[in-house]
Amino acid sequence: ASTPTPIRLISPADVTSKNLTRVPIETGLVPIDDFCAAIAAAKNRAQPVAFVLSGTGLISKTITEEMTIIQQDNAKKVTLRTILSGCESIPYGIGFSLRLRMLLALRLASNLIQLSQTRWLDNFWSNETVYFLMLPPSRGMRSSVDFSRAFVSAAIDDQEEATGSCNIQPKVVLLELGILLLEIWHQTTLEAHFNLDKAPTLYYPRLARALEWLDDGENPPPCLYESAISHCLRGMPDIARLTSWDTNELWDVVCREIIEPLWKNCKQWR
C-alpha cells in the first residue's frame, strides 16, 4: 500500500471498543478472499480501508476516513534464524517436522509470485525476516512454536514514495530463496554450515557458497526439492538479463522450474 492509501489492521475487539469510536463500523464489514488484491484495489481507488481479522480467521474490510493507524499487539514471535540456530530456549525439534518444512518451502516460493507487485518485496526474504508465533505454555509445558503458519513482517505504508514493485534484481531474490530452501532442508544456517563468523554479503560470494553447499552430497534433499534449489541458483540461463519482475518470461520459468517441483514434492503430505 502506498502513502496516499492508508491501511490499518484492527482486531474484532478494537471494532467494538468504546476507545475506538471513530472506527466506521456502521458501514459494515465486507469479507475478502484475496488480501493482496484488496490492498491493490484500495490503492487504485485511493480509498483508505481498515482490515478486520475475525476470531474464525476470516478477513474483512471496511471503509474509513482516518489517516493510517497501525496497531500492534504484544504477541511473541521467533525468527526462522533462531529456529535454525538451535536456540535451547525454543523446543522446536519435534514440532518442525519434515512435512512442515517442505510446506514452508513451497509457501515461501509461491508467495514470491503473489507478492511480487507489492511493497512486501521491497527487500529479499531471509531467515531473519521469516517469523513464527510462539504458542503460550500449557499444562506446565514451556512455550512452543506454531510452525503451521509462518509470516513475513514488512512495512507496507511509510513516508517514502512507493514504487509498487520490487527494486531488487530477480536473480538476487532467487539466490536468497535458494539459500532459504537449503537452510530449511538442512535445518541450519549458511554461516553454521561453513563455520563462518559472518556470511558473505555480496552476490557472487554468496552464490559460490550456496552452490558448494548444494553440491557437497551430504544429506541431499529429494530430487524435486533439489531441482528447485538448483534453478534458484543456476538453472535459469536468461535470469541474468531479466532485471524486472514485470516479465512473463521470468514468471513462466519460476512457475515451471521452482514452484511446480516444490508443489509436486509436497503432494505426499497434502
PDB file of all heavy atoms in Angstrom, residues 179-216:
ATOM      1  N   ILE A 179      19.004 -20.148  -0.995  1.00  0.00           N
ATOM      2  CA  ILE A 179      19.692 -20.319   0.286  1.00  0.00           C
ATOM      3  C   ILE A 179      18.697 -20.679   1.377  1.00  0.00           C
ATOM      4  O   ILE A 179      18.952 -21.558   2.213  1.00  0.00           O
ATOM      5  CB  ILE A 179      20.472 -19.040   0.646  1.00  0.00           C
ATOM      6  CG1 ILE A 179      21.639 -18.848  -0.329  1.00  0.00           C
ATOM      7  CG2 ILE A 179      20.986 -19.102   2.086  1.00  0.00           C
ATOM      8  CD1 ILE A 179      22.397 -17.557  -0.143  1.00  0.00           C
ATOM      9  N   LEU A 180      17.534 -20.029   1.377  1.00  0.00           N
ATOM     10  CA  LEU A 180      16.492 -20.356   2.349  1.00  0.00           C
ATOM     11  C   LEU A 180      16.061 -21.815   2.227  1.00  0.00           C
ATOM     12  O   LEU A 180      15.880 -22.516   3.231  1.00  0.00           O
ATOM     13  CB  LEU A 180      15.279 -19.441   2.142  1.00  0.00           C
ATOM     14  CG  LEU A 180      15.132 -18.225   3.048  1.00  0.00           C
ATOM     15  CD1 LEU A 180      13.900 -17.415   2.653  1.00  0.00           C
ATOM     16  CD2 LEU A 180      15.049 -18.627   4.513  1.00  0.00           C
ATOM     17  N   LEU A 181      15.894 -22.282   0.996  1.00  0.00           N
ATOM     18  CA  LEU A 181      15.484 -23.671   0.783  1.00  0.00           C
ATOM     19  C   LEU A 181      16.547 -24.640   1.300  1.00  0.00           C
ATOM     20  O   LEU A 181      16.221 -25.676   1.892  1.00  0.00           O
ATOM     21  CB  LEU A 181      15.218 -23.918  -0.703  1.00  0.00           C
ATOM     22  CG  LEU A 181      14.058 -23.144  -1.335  1.00  0.00           C
ATOM     23  CD1 LEU A 181      13.931 -23.476  -2.813  1.00  0.00           C
ATOM     24  CD2 LEU A 181      12.748 -23.411  -0.612  1.00  0.00           C
ATOM     25  N   LEU A 182      17.810 -24.311   1.100  1.00  0.00           N
ATOM     26  CA  LEU A 182      18.895 -25.134   1.634  1.00  0.00           C
ATOM     27  C   LEU A 182      18.861 -25.146   3.160  1.00  0.00           C
ATOM     28  O   LEU A 182      19.003 -26.200   3.792  1.00  0.00           O
ATOM     29  CB  LEU A 182      20.244 -24.600   1.151  1.00  0.00           C
ATOM     30  CG  LEU A 182      20.670 -24.975  -0.267  1.00  0.00           C
ATOM     31  CD1 LEU A 182      21.849 -24.115  -0.720  1.00  0.00           C
ATOM     32  CD2 LEU A 182      21.027 -26.459  -0.350  1.00  0.00           C
ATOM     33  N   GLU A 183      18.671 -23.974   3.754  1.00  0.00           N
ATOM     34  CA  GLU A 183      18.667 -23.874   5.213  1.00  0.00           C
ATOM     35  C   GLU A 183      17.488 -24.629   5.815  1.00  0.00           C
ATOM     36  O   GLU A 183      17.624 -25.276   6.860  1.00  0.00           O
ATOM     37  CB  GLU A 183      18.639 -22.401   5.624  1.00  0.00           C
ATOM     38  CG  GLU A 183      19.925 -21.651   5.282  1.00  0.00           C
ATOM     39  CD  GLU A 183      19.862 -20.177   5.636  1.00  0.00           C
ATOM     40  OE1 GLU A 183      18.763 -19.592   5.568  1.00  0.00           O
ATOM     41  OE2 GLU A 183      20.919 -19.605   5.953  1.00  0.00           O
ATOM     42  N   ILE A 184      16.329 -24.547   5.165  1.00  0.00           N
ATOM     43  CA  ILE A 184      15.145 -25.251   5.670  1.00  0.00           C
ATOM     44  C   ILE A 184      15.343 -26.759   5.603  1.00  0.00           C
ATOM     45  O   ILE A 184      14.990 -27.490   6.539  1.00  0.00           O
ATOM     46  CB  ILE A 184      13.897 -24.816   4.881  1.00  0.00           C
ATOM     47  CG1 ILE A 184      13.534 -23.370   5.220  1.00  0.00           C
ATOM     48  CG2 ILE A 184      12.718 -25.740   5.181  1.00  0.00           C
ATOM     49  CD1 ILE A 184      12.469 -22.768   4.315  1.00  0.00           C
ATOM     50  N   TRP A 185      15.918 -27.244   4.510  1.00  0.00           N
ATOM     51  CA  TRP A 185      16.132 -28.686   4.385  1.00  0.00           C
ATOM     52  C   TRP A 185      17.145 -29.189   5.418  1.00  0.00           C
ATOM     53  O   TRP A 185      16.921 -30.176   6.101  1.00  0.00           O
ATOM     54  CB  TRP A 185      16.607 -29.044   2.976  1.00  0.00           C
ATOM     55  CG  TRP A 185      17.050 -30.471   2.898  1.00  0.00           C
ATOM     56  CD1 TRP A 185      18.337 -30.940   2.821  1.00  0.00           C
ATOM     57  CD2 TRP A 185      16.208 -31.631   2.946  1.00  0.00           C
ATOM     58  NE1 TRP A 185      18.352 -32.314   2.800  1.00  0.00           N
ATOM     59  CE2 TRP A 185      17.053 -32.775   2.877  1.00  0.00           C
ATOM     60  CE3 TRP A 185      14.819 -31.824   3.023  1.00  0.00           C
ATOM     61  CZ2 TRP A 185      16.562 -34.072   2.901  1.00  0.00           C
ATOM     62  CZ3 TRP A 185      14.332 -33.120   3.051  1.00  0.00           C
ATOM     63  CH2 TRP A 185      15.186 -34.227   2.990  1.00  0.00           C
ATOM     64  N   HIS A 186      18.274 -28.495   5.524  1.00  0.00           N
ATOM     65  CA  HIS A 186      19.347 -28.948   6.415  1.00  0.00           C
ATOM     66  C   HIS A 186      19.145 -28.504   7.872  1.00  0.00           C
ATOM     67  O   HIS A 186      19.915 -28.914   8.740  1.00  0.00           O
ATOM     68  CB  HIS A 186      20.693 -28.439   5.908  1.00  0.00           C
ATOM     69  CG  HIS A 186      21.133 -29.078   4.619  1.00  0.00           C
ATOM     70  ND1 HIS A 186      21.603 -30.371   4.550  1.00  0.00           N
ATOM     71  CD2 HIS A 186      21.151 -28.599   3.349  1.00  0.00           C
ATOM     72  CE1 HIS A 186      21.903 -30.661   3.294  1.00  0.00           C
ATOM     73  NE2 HIS A 186      21.653 -29.606   2.535  1.00  0.00           N
ATOM     74  N   GLN A 187      18.164 -27.651   8.106  1.00  0.00           N
ATOM     75  CA  GLN A 187      17.855 -27.158   9.455  1.00  0.00           C
ATOM     76  C   GLN A 187      19.075 -26.496  10.114  1.00  0.00           C
ATOM     77  O   GLN A 187      19.358 -26.714  11.298  1.00  0.00           O
ATOM     78  CB  GLN A 187      17.329 -28.293  10.341  1.00  0.00           C
ATOM     79  CG  GLN A 187      16.023 -28.890   9.849  1.00  0.00           C
ATOM     80  CD  GLN A 187      15.408 -29.839  10.841  1.00  0.00           C
ATOM     81  OE1 GLN A 187      14.764 -29.418  11.816  1.00  0.00           O
ATOM     82  NE2 GLN A 187      15.585 -31.130  10.639  1.00  0.00           N
ATOM     83  N   THR A 188      19.759 -25.705   9.343  1.00  0.00           N
ATOM     84  CA  THR A 188      20.881 -24.935   9.866  1.00  0.00           C
ATOM     85  C   THR A 188      21.099 -23.736   8.958  1.00  0.00           C
ATOM     86  O   THR A 188      20.563 -23.684   7.844  1.00  0.00           O
ATOM     87  CB  THR A 188      22.162 -25.780   9.949  1.00  0.00           C
ATOM     88  OG1 THR A 188      23.165 -25.054  10.656  1.00  0.00           O
ATOM     89  CG2 THR A 188      22.688 -26.135   8.561  1.00  0.00           C
ATOM     90  N   THR A 189      21.877 -22.775   9.397  1.00  0.00           N
ATOM     91  CA  THR A 189      22.113 -21.571   8.609  1.00  0.00           C
ATOM     92  C   THR A 189      23.340 -21.747   7.717  1.00  0.00           C
ATOM     93  O   THR A 189      24.169 -22.643   7.926  1.00  0.00           O
ATOM     94  CB  THR A 189      22.335 -20.354   9.514  1.00  0.00           C
ATOM     95  OG1 THR A 189      23.535 -20.561  10.293  1.00  0.00           O
ATOM     96  CG2 THR A 189      21.154 -20.158  10.449  1.00  0.00           C
ATOM     97  N   LEU A 190      23.458 -20.877   6.740  1.00  0.00           N
ATOM     98  CA  LEU A 190      24.616 -20.883   5.853  1.00  0.00           C
ATOM     99  C   LEU A 190      25.902 -20.689   6.650  1.00  0.00           C
ATOM    100  O   LEU A 190      26.899 -21.381   6.421  1.00  0.00           O
ATOM    101  CB  LEU A 190      24.462 -19.777   4.808  1.00  0.00           C
ATOM    102  CG  LEU A 190      25.579 -19.660   3.764  1.00  0.00           C
ATOM    103  CD1 LEU A 190      25.509 -20.814   2.781  1.00  0.00           C
ATOM    104  CD2 LEU A 190      25.485 -18.324   3.023  1.00  0.00           C
ATOM    105  N   GLU A 191      25.862 -19.751   7.601  1.00  0.00           N
ATOM    106  CA  GLU A 191      27.039 -19.481   8.425  1.00  0.00           C
ATOM    107  C   GLU A 191      27.439 -20.705   9.239  1.00  0.00           C
ATOM    108  O   GLU A 191      28.622 -21.048   9.338  1.00  0.00           O
ATOM    109  CB  GLU A 191      26.777 -18.301   9.361  1.00  0.00           C
ATOM    110  CG  GLU A 191      26.506 -16.981   8.664  1.00  0.00           C
ATOM    111  CD  GLU A 191      25.033 -16.729   8.433  1.00  0.00           C
ATOM    112  OE1 GLU A 191      24.297 -17.710   8.173  1.00  0.00           O
ATOM    113  OE2 GLU A 191      24.620 -15.564   8.524  1.00  0.00           O
ATOM    114  N   ALA A 192      26.468 -21.350   9.838  1.00  0.00           N
ATOM    115  CA  ALA A 192      26.760 -22.506  10.686  1.00  0.00           C
ATOM    116  C   ALA A 192      27.324 -23.659   9.866  1.00  0.00           C
ATOM    117  O   ALA A 192      28.248 -24.357  10.304  1.00  0.00           O
ATOM    118  CB  ALA A 192      25.504 -22.943  11.430  1.00  0.00           C
ATOM    119  N   HIS A 193      26.798 -23.860   8.681  1.00  0.00           N
ATOM    120  CA  HIS A 193      27.265 -24.972   7.845  1.00  0.00           C
ATOM    121  C   HIS A 193      28.736 -24.809   7.483  1.00  0.00           C
ATOM    122  O   HIS A 193      29.494 -25.791   7.461  1.00  0.00           O
ATOM    123  CB  HIS A 193      26.432 -25.065   6.579  1.00  0.00           C
ATOM    124  CG  HIS A 193      26.885 -26.142   5.637  1.00  0.00           C
ATOM    125  ND1 HIS A 193      26.644 -27.481   5.862  1.00  0.00           N
ATOM    126  CD2 HIS A 193      27.602 -26.073   4.468  1.00  0.00           C
ATOM    127  CE1 HIS A 193      27.170 -28.190   4.875  1.00  0.00           C
ATOM    128  NE2 HIS A 193      27.764 -27.363   4.023  1.00  0.00           N
ATOM    129  N   PHE A 194      29.143 -23.584   7.185  1.00  0.00           N
ATOM    130  CA  PHE A 194      30.522 -23.334   6.779  1.00  0.00           C
ATOM    131  C   PHE A 194      31.397 -22.810   7.918  1.00  0.00           C
ATOM    132  O   PHE A 194      32.531 -22.385   7.680  1.00  0.00           O
ATOM    133  CB  PHE A 194      30.546 -22.336   5.614  1.00  0.00           C
ATOM    134  CG  PHE A 194      30.048 -22.905   4.313  1.00  0.00           C
ATOM    135  CD1 PHE A 194      28.783 -22.577   3.840  1.00  0.00           C
ATOM    136  CD2 PHE A 194      30.831 -23.779   3.568  1.00  0.00           C
ATOM    137  CE1 PHE A 194      28.320 -23.104   2.640  1.00  0.00           C
ATOM    138  CE2 PHE A 194      30.371 -24.308   2.372  1.00  0.00           C
ATOM    139  CZ  PHE A 194      29.112 -23.980   1.905  1.00  0.00           C
ATOM    140  N   ASN A 195      30.844 -22.816   9.136  1.00  0.00           N
ATOM    141  CA  ASN A 195      31.602 -22.337  10.307  1.00  0.00           C
ATOM    142  C   ASN A 195      32.136 -20.926  10.104  1.00  0.00           C
ATOM    143  O   ASN A 195      33.313 -20.633  10.350  1.00  0.00           O
ATOM    144  CB  ASN A 195      32.770 -23.291  10.624  1.00  0.00           C
ATOM    145  CG  ASN A 195      32.288 -24.670  11.032  1.00  0.00           C
ATOM    146  OD1 ASN A 195      31.361 -24.797  11.840  1.00  0.00           O
ATOM    147  ND2 ASN A 195      32.895 -25.706  10.480  1.00  0.00           N
ATOM    148  N   LEU A 196      31.265 -20.055   9.620  1.00  0.00           N
ATOM    149  CA  LEU A 196      31.637 -18.668   9.367  1.00  0.00           C
ATOM    150  C   LEU A 196      31.144 -17.775  10.494  1.00  0.00           C
ATOM    151  O   LEU A 196      30.036 -17.965  11.008  1.00  0.00           O
ATOM    152  CB  LEU A 196      31.019 -18.185   8.045  1.00  0.00           C
ATOM    153  CG  LEU A 196      31.374 -18.970   6.776  1.00  0.00           C
ATOM    154  CD1 LEU A 196      30.553 -18.447   5.604  1.00  0.00           C
ATOM    155  CD2 LEU A 196      32.860 -18.860   6.477  1.00  0.00           C
ATOM    156  N   ASP A 197      31.972 -16.804  10.873  1.00  0.00           N
ATOM    157  CA  ASP A 197      31.517 -15.806  11.839  1.00  0.00           C
ATOM    158  C   ASP A 197      30.455 -14.920  11.205  1.00  0.00           C
ATOM    159  O   ASP A 197      29.509 -14.491  11.866  1.00  0.00           O
ATOM    160  CB  ASP A 197      32.693 -14.950  12.324  1.00  0.00           C
ATOM    161  CG  ASP A 197      33.680 -15.743  13.149  1.00  0.00           C
ATOM    162  OD1 ASP A 197      33.257 -16.727  13.779  1.00  0.00           O
ATOM    163  OD2 ASP A 197      34.878 -15.393  13.140  1.00  0.00           O
ATOM    164  N   LYS A 198      30.625 -14.679   9.919  1.00  0.00           N
ATOM    165  CA  LYS A 198      29.673 -13.849   9.195  1.00  0.00           C
ATOM    166  C   LYS A 198      29.635 -14.317   7.743  1.00  0.00           C
ATOM    167  O   LYS A 198      30.678 -14.506   7.112  1.00  0.00           O
ATOM    168  CB  LYS A 198      30.069 -12.366   9.255  1.00  0.00           C
ATOM    169  CG  LYS A 198      29.044 -11.429   8.642  1.00  0.00           C
ATOM    170  CD  LYS A 198      29.466  -9.981   8.817  1.00  0.00           C
ATOM    171  CE  LYS A 198      28.433  -9.034   8.219  1.00  0.00           C
ATOM    172  NZ  LYS A 198      28.845  -7.612   8.382  1.00  0.00           N
ATOM    173  N   ALA A 199      28.438 -14.492   7.232  1.00  0.00           N
ATOM    174  CA  ALA A 199      28.289 -14.947   5.852  1.00  0.00           C
ATOM    175  C   ALA A 199      28.635 -13.818   4.889  1.00  0.00           C
ATOM    176  O   ALA A 199      28.466 -12.633   5.217  1.00  0.00           O
ATOM    177  CB  ALA A 199      26.863 -15.422   5.606  1.00  0.00           C
ATOM    178  N   PRO A 200      29.125 -14.134   3.682  1.00  0.00           N
ATOM    179  CA  PRO A 200      29.390 -13.084   2.688  1.00  0.00           C
ATOM    180  C   PRO A 200      28.095 -12.362   2.330  1.00  0.00           C
ATOM    181  O   PRO A 200      27.009 -12.957   2.352  1.00  0.00           O
ATOM    182  CB  PRO A 200      29.961 -13.857   1.497  1.00  0.00           C
ATOM    183  CG  PRO A 200      29.503 -15.270   1.687  1.00  0.00           C
ATOM    184  CD  PRO A 200      29.434 -15.480   3.168  1.00  0.00           C
ATOM    185  N   THR A 201      28.210 -11.102   1.992  1.00  0.00           N
ATOM    186  CA  THR A 201      27.028 -10.297   1.687  1.00  0.00           C
ATOM    187  C   THR A 201      26.878 -10.007   0.196  1.00  0.00           C
ATOM    188  O   THR A 201      25.773  -9.717  -0.257  1.00  0.00           O
ATOM    189  CB  THR A 201      27.085  -8.965   2.443  1.00  0.00           C
ATOM    190  OG1 THR A 201      28.301  -8.273   2.105  1.00  0.00           O
ATOM    191  CG2 THR A 201      27.044  -9.199   3.951  1.00  0.00           C
ATOM    192  N   LEU A 202      27.961 -10.074  -0.556  1.00  0.00           N
ATOM    193  CA  LEU A 202      27.899  -9.787  -1.986  1.00  0.00           C
ATOM    194  C   LEU A 202      27.327 -10.977  -2.743  1.00  0.00           C
ATOM    195  O   LEU A 202      27.423 -12.133  -2.313  1.00  0.00           O
ATOM    196  CB  LEU A 202      29.282  -9.434  -2.518  1.00  0.00           C
ATOM    197  CG  LEU A 202      29.927  -8.177  -1.900  1.00  0.00           C
ATOM    198  CD1 LEU A 202      31.310  -7.936  -2.496  1.00  0.00           C
ATOM    199  CD2 LEU A 202      29.036  -6.955  -2.096  1.00  0.00           C
ATOM    200  N   TYR A 203      26.755 -10.693  -3.901  1.00  0.00           N
ATOM    201  CA  TYR A 203      26.022 -11.707  -4.654  1.00  0.00           C
ATOM    202  C   TYR A 203      26.880 -12.914  -5.027  1.00  0.00           C
ATOM    203  O   TYR A 203      26.519 -14.065  -4.708  1.00  0.00           O
ATOM    204  CB  TYR A 203      25.433 -11.087  -5.920  1.00  0.00           C
ATOM    205  CG  TYR A 203      24.752 -12.084  -6.826  1.00  0.00           C
ATOM    206  CD1 TYR A 203      23.467 -12.548  -6.554  1.00  0.00           C
ATOM    207  CD2 TYR A 203      25.417 -12.601  -7.947  1.00  0.00           C
ATOM    208  CE1 TYR A 203      22.844 -13.485  -7.379  1.00  0.00           C
ATOM    209  CE2 TYR A 203      24.799 -13.533  -8.766  1.00  0.00           C
ATOM    210  CZ  TYR A 203      23.517 -13.971  -8.481  1.00  0.00           C
ATOM    211  OH  TYR A 203      22.910 -14.900  -9.286  1.00  0.00           O
ATOM    212  N   TYR A 204      27.996 -12.699  -5.695  1.00  0.00           N
ATOM    213  CA  TYR A 204      28.762 -13.834  -6.205  1.00  0.00           C
ATOM    214  C   TYR A 204      29.425 -14.664  -5.107  1.00  0.00           C
ATOM    215  O   TYR A 204      29.434 -15.909  -5.200  1.00  0.00           O
ATOM    216  CB  TYR A 204      29.777 -13.349  -7.248  1.00  0.00           C
ATOM    217  CG  TYR A 204      29.114 -12.959  -8.548  1.00  0.00           C
ATOM    218  CD1 TYR A 204      28.963 -11.618  -8.903  1.00  0.00           C
ATOM    219  CD2 TYR A 204      28.590 -13.926  -9.403  1.00  0.00           C
ATOM    220  CE1 TYR A 204      28.318 -11.261 -10.085  1.00  0.00           C
ATOM    221  CE2 TYR A 204      27.941 -13.572 -10.578  1.00  0.00           C
ATOM    222  CZ  TYR A 204      27.811 -12.242 -10.922  1.00  0.00           C
ATOM    223  OH  TYR A 204      27.153 -11.890 -12.074  1.00  0.00           O
ATOM    224  N   PRO A 205      29.973 -14.070  -4.046  1.00  0.00           N
ATOM    225  CA  PRO A 205      30.465 -14.917  -2.945  1.00  0.00           C
ATOM    226  C   PRO A 205      29.360 -15.741  -2.285  1.00  0.00           C
ATOM    227  O   PRO A 205      29.578 -16.904  -1.922  1.00  0.00           O
ATOM    228  CB  PRO A 205      31.068 -13.896  -1.976  1.00  0.00           C
ATOM    229  CG  PRO A 205      31.465 -12.746  -2.832  1.00  0.00           C
ATOM    230  CD  PRO A 205      30.388 -12.664  -3.881  1.00  0.00           C
ATOM    231  N   ARG A 206      28.165 -15.168  -2.154  1.00  0.00           N
ATOM    232  CA  ARG A 206      27.045 -15.928  -1.580  1.00  0.00           C
ATOM    233  C   ARG A 206      26.617 -17.046  -2.525  1.00  0.00           C
ATOM    234  O   ARG A 206      26.314 -18.165  -2.106  1.00  0.00           O
ATOM    235  CB  ARG A 206      25.853 -15.005  -1.288  1.00  0.00           C
ATOM    236  CG  ARG A 206      26.061 -14.107  -0.094  1.00  0.00           C
ATOM    237  CD  ARG A 206      24.845 -13.235   0.200  1.00  0.00           C
ATOM    238  NE  ARG A 206      23.704 -13.987   0.682  1.00  0.00           N
ATOM    239  CZ  ARG A 206      23.556 -14.430   1.931  1.00  0.00           C
ATOM    240  NH1 ARG A 206      24.524 -14.229   2.817  1.00  0.00           N
ATOM    241  NH2 ARG A 206      22.478 -15.089   2.291  1.00  0.00           N
ATOM    242  N   LEU A 207      26.598 -16.753  -3.820  1.00  0.00           N
ATOM    243  CA  LEU A 207      26.247 -17.770  -4.809  1.00  0.00           C
ATOM    244  C   LEU A 207      27.246 -18.921  -4.766  1.00  0.00           C
ATOM    245  O   LEU A 207      26.857 -20.102  -4.827  1.00  0.00           O
ATOM    246  CB  LEU A 207      26.209 -17.148  -6.207  1.00  0.00           C
ATOM    247  CG  LEU A 207      25.946 -18.110  -7.377  1.00  0.00           C
ATOM    248  CD1 LEU A 207      24.606 -18.809  -7.220  1.00  0.00           C
ATOM    249  CD2 LEU A 207      26.024 -17.368  -8.706  1.00  0.00           C
ATOM    250  N   ALA A 208      28.529 -18.603  -4.654  1.00  0.00           N
ATOM    251  CA  ALA A 208      29.556 -19.645  -4.618  1.00  0.00           C
ATOM    252  C   ALA A 208      29.360 -20.558  -3.409  1.00  0.00           C
ATOM    253  O   ALA A 208      29.469 -21.791  -3.510  1.00  0.00           O
ATOM    254  CB  ALA A 208      30.947 -19.007  -4.590  1.00  0.00           C
ATOM    255  N   ARG A 209      29.075 -19.968  -2.245  1.00  0.00           N
ATOM    256  CA  ARG A 209      28.845 -20.771  -1.043  1.00  0.00           C
ATOM    257  C   ARG A 209      27.600 -21.643  -1.190  1.00  0.00           C
ATOM    258  O   ARG A 209      27.585 -22.814  -0.803  1.00  0.00           O
ATOM    259  CB  ARG A 209      28.708 -19.856   0.169  1.00  0.00           C
ATOM    260  CG  ARG A 209      30.000 -19.222   0.646  1.00  0.00           C
ATOM    261  CD  ARG A 209      30.925 -20.280   1.229  1.00  0.00           C
ATOM    262  NE  ARG A 209      32.067 -19.673   1.901  1.00  0.00           N
ATOM    263  CZ  ARG A 209      33.017 -20.367   2.526  1.00  0.00           C
ATOM    264  NH1 ARG A 209      32.950 -21.684   2.557  1.00  0.00           N
ATOM    265  NH2 ARG A 209      34.033 -19.755   3.100  1.00  0.00           N
ATOM    266  N   ALA A 210      26.525 -21.062  -1.753  1.00  0.00           N
ATOM    267  CA  ALA A 210      25.280 -21.814  -1.917  1.00  0.00           C
ATOM    268  C   ALA A 210      25.475 -22.994  -2.869  1.00  0.00           C
ATOM    269  O   ALA A 210      24.994 -24.107  -2.616  1.00  0.00           O
ATOM    270  CB  ALA A 210      24.174 -20.898  -2.425  1.00  0.00           C
ATOM    271  N   LEU A 211      26.213 -22.775  -3.964  1.00  0.00           N
ATOM    272  CA  LEU A 211      26.463 -23.858  -4.917  1.00  0.00           C
ATOM    273  C   LEU A 211      27.323 -24.952  -4.292  1.00  0.00           C
ATOM    274  O   LEU A 211      27.098 -26.148  -4.524  1.00  0.00           O
ATOM    275  CB  LEU A 211      27.148 -23.293  -6.165  1.00  0.00           C
ATOM    276  CG  LEU A 211      26.261 -22.444  -7.086  1.00  0.00           C
ATOM    277  CD1 LEU A 211      27.099 -21.783  -8.164  1.00  0.00           C
ATOM    278  CD2 LEU A 211      25.149 -23.275  -7.701  1.00  0.00           C
ATOM    279  N   GLU A 212      28.312 -24.539  -3.505  1.00  0.00           N
ATOM    280  CA  GLU A 212      29.150 -25.518  -2.816  1.00  0.00           C
ATOM    281  C   GLU A 212      28.320 -26.371  -1.869  1.00  0.00           C
ATOM    282  O   GLU A 212      28.504 -27.588  -1.771  1.00  0.00           O
ATOM    283  CB  GLU A 212      30.263 -24.792  -2.053  1.00  0.00           C
ATOM    284  CG  GLU A 212      31.215 -25.720  -1.317  1.00  0.00           C
ATOM    285  CD  GLU A 212      32.282 -24.980  -0.543  1.00  0.00           C
ATOM    286  OE1 GLU A 212      32.378 -23.732  -0.687  1.00  0.00           O
ATOM    287  OE2 GLU A 212      33.020 -25.637   0.227  1.00  0.00           O
ATOM    288  N   TRP A 213      27.384 -25.726  -1.161  1.00  0.00           N
ATOM    289  CA  TRP A 213      26.519 -26.448  -0.227  1.00  0.00           C
ATOM    290  C   TRP A 213      25.608 -27.422  -0.966  1.00  0.00           C
ATOM    291  O   TRP A 213      25.425 -28.572  -0.546  1.00  0.00           O
ATOM    292  CB  TRP A 213      25.709 -25.448   0.582  1.00  0.00           C
ATOM    293  CG  TRP A 213      25.071 -26.009   1.820  1.00  0.00           C
ATOM    294  CD1 TRP A 213      25.170 -27.274   2.305  1.00  0.00           C
ATOM    295  CD2 TRP A 213      24.236 -25.299   2.737  1.00  0.00           C
ATOM    296  NE1 TRP A 213      24.449 -27.409   3.477  1.00  0.00           N
ATOM    297  CE2 TRP A 213      23.870 -26.205   3.762  1.00  0.00           C
ATOM    298  CE3 TRP A 213      23.774 -23.988   2.803  1.00  0.00           C
ATOM    299  CZ2 TRP A 213      23.041 -25.839   4.822  1.00  0.00           C
ATOM    300  CZ3 TRP A 213      22.958 -23.622   3.857  1.00  0.00           C
ATOM    301  CH2 TRP A 213      22.594 -24.535   4.863  1.00  0.00           C
ATOM    302  N   LEU A 214      25.050 -26.959  -2.073  1.00  0.00           N
ATOM    303  CA  LEU A 214      24.140 -27.818  -2.841  1.00  0.00           C
ATOM    304  C   LEU A 214      24.858 -29.040  -3.388  1.00  0.00           C
ATOM    305  O   LEU A 214      24.285 -30.127  -3.457  1.00  0.00           O
ATOM    306  CB  LEU A 214      23.518 -27.016  -3.982  1.00  0.00           C
ATOM    307  CG  LEU A 214      22.556 -27.762  -4.913  1.00  0.00           C
ATOM    308  CD1 LEU A 214      21.336 -28.247  -4.153  1.00  0.00           C
ATOM    309  CD2 LEU A 214      22.145 -26.879  -6.082  1.00  0.00           C
ATOM    310  N   ASP A 215      26.134 -28.881  -3.747  1.00  0.00           N
ATOM    311  CA  ASP A 215      26.877 -29.957  -4.405  1.00  0.00           C
ATOM    312  C   ASP A 215      27.688 -30.838  -3.460  1.00  0.00           C
ATOM    313  O   ASP A 215      28.357 -31.767  -3.913  1.00  0.00           O
ATOM    314  CB  ASP A 215      27.838 -29.351  -5.449  1.00  0.00           C
ATOM    315  CG  ASP A 215      27.108 -28.678  -6.598  1.00  0.00           C
ATOM    316  OD1 ASP A 215      25.934 -29.033  -6.830  1.00  0.00           O
ATOM    317  OD2 ASP A 215      27.700 -27.795  -7.250  1.00  0.00           O
ATOM    318  N   ASP A 216      27.614 -30.570  -2.151  1.00  0.00           N
ATOM    319  CA  ASP A 216      28.514 -31.316  -1.259  1.00  0.00           C
ATOM    320  C   ASP A 216      28.067 -32.760  -1.021  1.00  0.00           C
ATOM    321  O   ASP A 216      28.823 -33.573  -0.498  1.00  0.00           O
ATOM    322  CB  ASP A 216      28.723 -30.591   0.068  1.00  0.00           C
ATOM    323  CG  ASP A 216      27.464 -30.557   0.940  1.00  0.00           C
ATOM    324  OD1 ASP A 216      26.455 -31.194   0.582  1.00  0.00           O
ATOM    325  OD2 ASP A 216      27.497 -29.877   1.983  1.00  0.00           O
TER     326      ASP A 216
END
